[in-house]
Amino acid sequence: MEEKTLLEARFHRKLGLYWLTSGAVVLGITVVGIPLLLLWFPIGLWATHRYIANMSAQLTTKKLIVRKGILTRTENTVPLDKITDMAMIQGPLMRLFGIHKLTIETAGQSGNGALISLTGVEEVAEFRAAVMAQKSALAEQSQPVEAKVDVAAQTLVCLQSIDETLRRIEAKLA
């Protein structure tokens, strides 16, 4: 069965400006970086525009696919059943621009920190909720058939027992 794309993330229009400002703050704090500010804005503007153009996050029925990069493009595919945590982070500068960072942690990942980090997803709470809802729906679908059959068999035995009890009660009343 082919997987269907359920949701495609959109990125905040101020994301490039946020990254430019973050870099300018870092360069401005360092004495050596102050002269580099003249190069930062034209190069940073081009780089952030290209990076954002190459970013995508797709929620399918079974996995989350994240693509990003300029020179080295990466694609991370995370099965939904392996996701253990999705955190929304917002620092002071992010609050100023109305941007959040969404971090995704998985079972079995090595090292500290998030496996995937998505900065600037629009409607981040809704995107996170959609991923978690699909993860729950997938978990319910993957319940073993034996367990479903076992529940049905137990229900049938219980109903037969109730039927027998009712018949005995009716026989005593008659």
Side-chain angles (χ1 to χ4, degrees), residues 128-148:
R128 178 179 180 248
V131 171
M132 297 309 279
Q134 182 59 28
K135 173 183 167 43
S136 296
L138 187 63
E140 288 175 12
Q141 288 175 357
S142 65
Q143 188 179 30
V145 175
E146 301 84 36
K148 292 178 185 175

Side-chain angles (χ1 to χ4, degrees), residues 40-60:
W40 171 246
F41 285 102
I43 294 171
L45 188 62
W46 173 83
T48 56
H49 176 71
R50 294 285 303 153
Y51 194 82
I52 293 168
N54 290 328
M55 285 175 60
S56 72
Q58 266 184 328
L59 173 63
T60 69

Side-chain angles (χ1 to χ4, degrees), residues 4-149:
K4 178 180 154 191
T5 299
L6 302 176
L7 185 62
E8 183 87 29
R10 294 181 323 270
F11 293 92
H12 203 284
R13 58 183 170 75
K14 293 183 181 177
L15 182 57
L17 184 59
Y18 162 72
W19 279 334
L20 280 173
T21 305
S22 299
V25 167
V26 170
L27 289 174
I29 290 173
T30 64
V31 176
V32 177
I34 293 173
L36 296 176
L37 281 172
L38 296 173
L39 293 173
W40 171 246
F41 285 102
I43 294 171
L45 188 62
W46 173 83
T48 56
H49 176 71
R50 294 285 303 153
Y51 194 82
I52 293 168
N54 290 328
M55 285 175 60
S56 72
Q58 266 184 328
L59 173 63
T60 69
T61 52
K62 294 184 181 182
K63 59 190 170 196
L64 181 64
I65 304 167
V66 177
R67 296 177 187 95
K68 55 186 168 179
I70 298 175
L71 299 175
T72 304
R73 295 191 179 157
T74 60
E75 179 178 310
N76 291 1
T77 302
V78 181
L80 294 178
D81 59 344
K82 300 293 182 201
I83 294 175
T84 57
D85 187 33
M86 292 183 76
M88 291 185 340
I89 301 166
Q90 190 179 42
L93 194 56
M94 289 178 160
R95 266 193 302 280
L96 182 69
F97 287 96
I99 293 173
H100 287 83
K101 180 194 285 188
L102 183 65
T103 60
I104 300 158
E105 296 179 8
T106 62
Q109 80 185 52
S110 59
N112 293 334
L115 174 68
I116 297 174
S117 214
L118 282 172
T119 303
V121 173
E122 284 185 0
E123 300 171 355
V124 67
E126 290 81 2
F127 185 78
R128 178 179 180 248
V131 171
M132 297 309 279
Q134 182 59 28
K135 173 183 167 43
S136 296
L138 187 63
E140 288 175 12
Q141 288 175 357
S142 65
Q143 188 179 30
V145 175
E146 301 84 36
K148 292 178 185 175
V149 170

Side-chain angles (χ1 to χ4, degrees), residues 168-174:
R168 282 194 307 269
I169 292 171
E170 285 178 343
K172 288 185 179 183
L173 289 175

